[in-house]
Amino acid sequence: MKNKDSNIKKAIKYLNNNECIAIPTETVYGLAANAYSKKAVSKIYKLKKRPKNNPLIVHYYGINQLKKDCEIDNTFKKFYKKFCPGPISFVLKLKRSSRISKLVTNNSTTIAVRFPSHQLTRKLLKNINYPLAAPSANISKSISPVSKQDVLDEFNYKIKFILDGGASKVGLESTIVNLIGKPYILRLGGIDSRLINKLIDKLKNRKKKKLKVKVPGTSKLHYSPGIPMRLNVKKNKLKEAFILIKERKEFNSNYFYLTKTNNLKEAAKNLYKTLRKIKKDGYKQIAVERIPNINIGEAINDRLLRASNK
Ligand code: TXA
Ligand code: MG
């Protein structure tokens, strides 16, 4: 624990100096910088090679810190109480008085925010007096990192510091919910969409208009391993890596199990790690067994579909 505390201190030192560093979250690792500092945030875009019109998610310790920057209402409070801290992000209205750098939001009057549950990052957020803008810590369009080693694979030593928090428990990015107007899901992710829709129905705010919000980062080609991928496959071709979720009797060195027991949470956790491994092993083609479109399987299929887009 001592060791971890000194690492948090180091992380804070870099952040206070307007540097960007990698932080662990329960979803994926983030590339974090002071969201109030234009200088710090511009380093994120540069390092990630991210287009400036794709806004960042801002990470807070809790609702009290958030209030300085965002308009909140009862709907938000209900979501916050039920799901936070956890793998969910919200699109809210930015306050006029907010100090969030315009670079974070691409000059928009809306902002995406989140409250990560990873203990190290919570401790970090508690000990700084600014929120952290943090997209996933990968080069734009490639696979999100779920460990310190993955971040190193993406950036080598171009990144000043990586706060090592072990493997990300969820393994897929947060679910994004738009809370401007009638709530709806913008991006599937770490929380089962049925739980979110259940709360939306309970809130009975059907009279509110559904105000469409754009999510630039959900363009079709995204989360890509850079190798052709076939989905819903029963049998792999020769030399093709085969991603599976149920154990098969025969041994085949091209089989890659996300889980052997159809456990979709385990499959989600192992997805990005497995895609990276397959790429590193030099495969030129990937096949994936059918994944049930329920619970977090929905988010897995969403990412696979994007990854398979040519
Ligand atoms: O789990 C996660 O959400 C991870 C960890 C690091 O927190 N972060 C993450 O960030 O996935 P990123 O930048 O890779 O994806 C953020 C997505 C992008 O698709 C972006 O377009 C969208 O959020 N976004 C950001 N601000 C938005 C806004 N104001 N309105 C709509 N979409 C927004
Ligand atoms: Mg990303």
Side-chain angles (χ1 to χ4, degrees):
M1 200 58 212
K2 271 264 162 59
N3 186 23
K4 288 197 171 148
D5 282 347
S6 72
N7 282 338
I8 289 177
K9 273 196 190 136
K10 241 189 223 171
I12 292 174
K13 217 169 160 185
Y14 281 110
L15 290 168
N16 286 344
N17 277 328
N18 283 323
E19 291 297 346
C20 72
I21 62 165
I23 57 165
T25 88
E26 71 282 15
T27 58
V28 301
Y29 274 65
L31 191 59
N34 178 353
Y36 293 154
S37 157
K38 184 180 174 194
K39 187 177 169 199
V41 172
S42 70
K43 289 182 184 168
I44 296 180
Y45 284 94
K46 202 169 161 210
L47 213 63
K48 247 187 96 84
K49 302 196 176 99
R50 178 164 175 130
K52 293 252 167 59
N53 63 3
N54 190 1
L56 311 177
I57 298 182
V58 178
H59 298 59
Y60 289 88
Y61 178 73
I63 194 167
N64 288 336
Q65 289 76 10
L66 177 87
K67 277 178 186 161
K68 289 179 212 149
D69 297 321
C70 298
E71 307 279 0
I72 57 170
D73 58 9
N74 278 330
T75 302
F76 169 77
K77 282 184 194 156
K78 293 254 164 63
F79 271 92
Y80 182 78
K81 204 170 162 204
K82 187 156 173 63
F83 299 111
C84 300
I88 185 165
S89 300
F90 307 102
V91 174
L92 300 172
K93 270 193 201 137
L94 201 58
K95 271 191 179 163
R96 274 175 175 272
S97 56
S98 160
R99 288 170 56 208
I100 295 286
S101 161
K102 289 190 167 44
L103 205 51
V104 169
T105 56
N106 185 31
N107 255 320
S108 166
T109 51
T110 69
I111 180 173
V113 301
R114 139 167 163 69
F115 310 87
S117 66
H118 193 291
Q119 283 311 315
L120 268 188
T121 289
R122 273 185 70 71
K123 215 166 182 186
L124 174 66
L125 286 166
K126 201 178 175 183
N127 285 291
I128 50 182
N129 53 11
Y130 45 84
L132 294 175
S136 49
N138 52 278
I139 306 283
S140 206
K141 293 201 161 62
S142 106
I143 305 167
S144 295
V146 292
S147 68
K148 178 180 177 182
Q149 187 56 50
D150 291 352
V151 179
L152 280 174
D153 285 354
E154 287 289 320
F155 295 107
N156 279 314
Y157 288 91
K158 275 191 207 147
I159 198 160
K160 294 263 155 97
F161 184 70
I162 303 172
L163 186 60
D164 188 356
S168 296
K169 285 208 174 95
V170 177
L172 290 181
E173 298 82 353
S174 61
T175 303
I176 305 181
V177 182
N178 174 41
L179 291 184
I180 299 175
K182 183 174 159 51
Y184 66 98
I185 296 174
L186 283 169
R187 175 178 79 179
L188 290 164
I191 288 187
D192 189 341
S193 68
R194 284 177 313 180
L195 294 177
I196 293 170
N197 288 324
K198 221 165 125 185
L199 180 58
I200 292 176
D201 287 345
K202 213 171 122 188
L203 291 171
K204 293 198 184 73
N205 45 16
R206 291 197 189 90
K207 270 185 229 144
K208 274 194 189 169
K209 251 179 89 188
K210 193 164 171 178
L211 300 171
K212 279 264 173 211
V213 165
K214 270 196 195 152
V215 192
T218 49
S219 62
K220 278 194 176 150
L221 185 77
H222 206 65
Y223 312 101
S224 170
I227 318 170
M229 189 186 270
R230 304 189 296 134
L231 305 183
N232 301 320
V233 173
K234 291 207 171 98
K235 198 174 178 304
N236 62 325
K237 295 178 186 164
L238 205 72
K239 292 188 180 168
E240 188 178 41
F242 196 15
I243 295 182
L244 296 160
I245 57 166
K246 279 183 298 268
E247 188 162 25
R248 299 205 171 189
K249 279 190 219 105
E250 71 280 5
F251 173 82
N252 185 322
S253 61
N254 297 328
Y255 286 0
F256 292 84
Y257 288 103
L258 299 181
T259 163
K260 288 189 172 176
T261 57
N262 225 344
N263 177 337
L264 294 178
K265 276 199 171 161
E266 190 186 355
K269 183 174 187 248
N270 289 323
L271 178 66
Y272 288 156
K273 185 172 90 179
T274 305
L275 290 175
R276 258 177 214 280
K277 166 114 180 64
I278 289 170
K279 198 176 174 187
K280 262 192 192 167
D281 287 355
Y283 284 91
K284 298 282 182 288
Q285 172 110 19
I286 307 177
V288 189
E289 173 173 46
R290 195 187 79 82
I291 302 206
N293 210 33
I294 46 163
N295 308 332
I296 202 165
E298 228 188 335
I300 298 177
N301 281 325
D302 171 82
R303 301 305 190 269
L304 286 173
L305 209 62
R306 291 176 205 284
S308 66
N309 240 291
K310 277 165 221 124

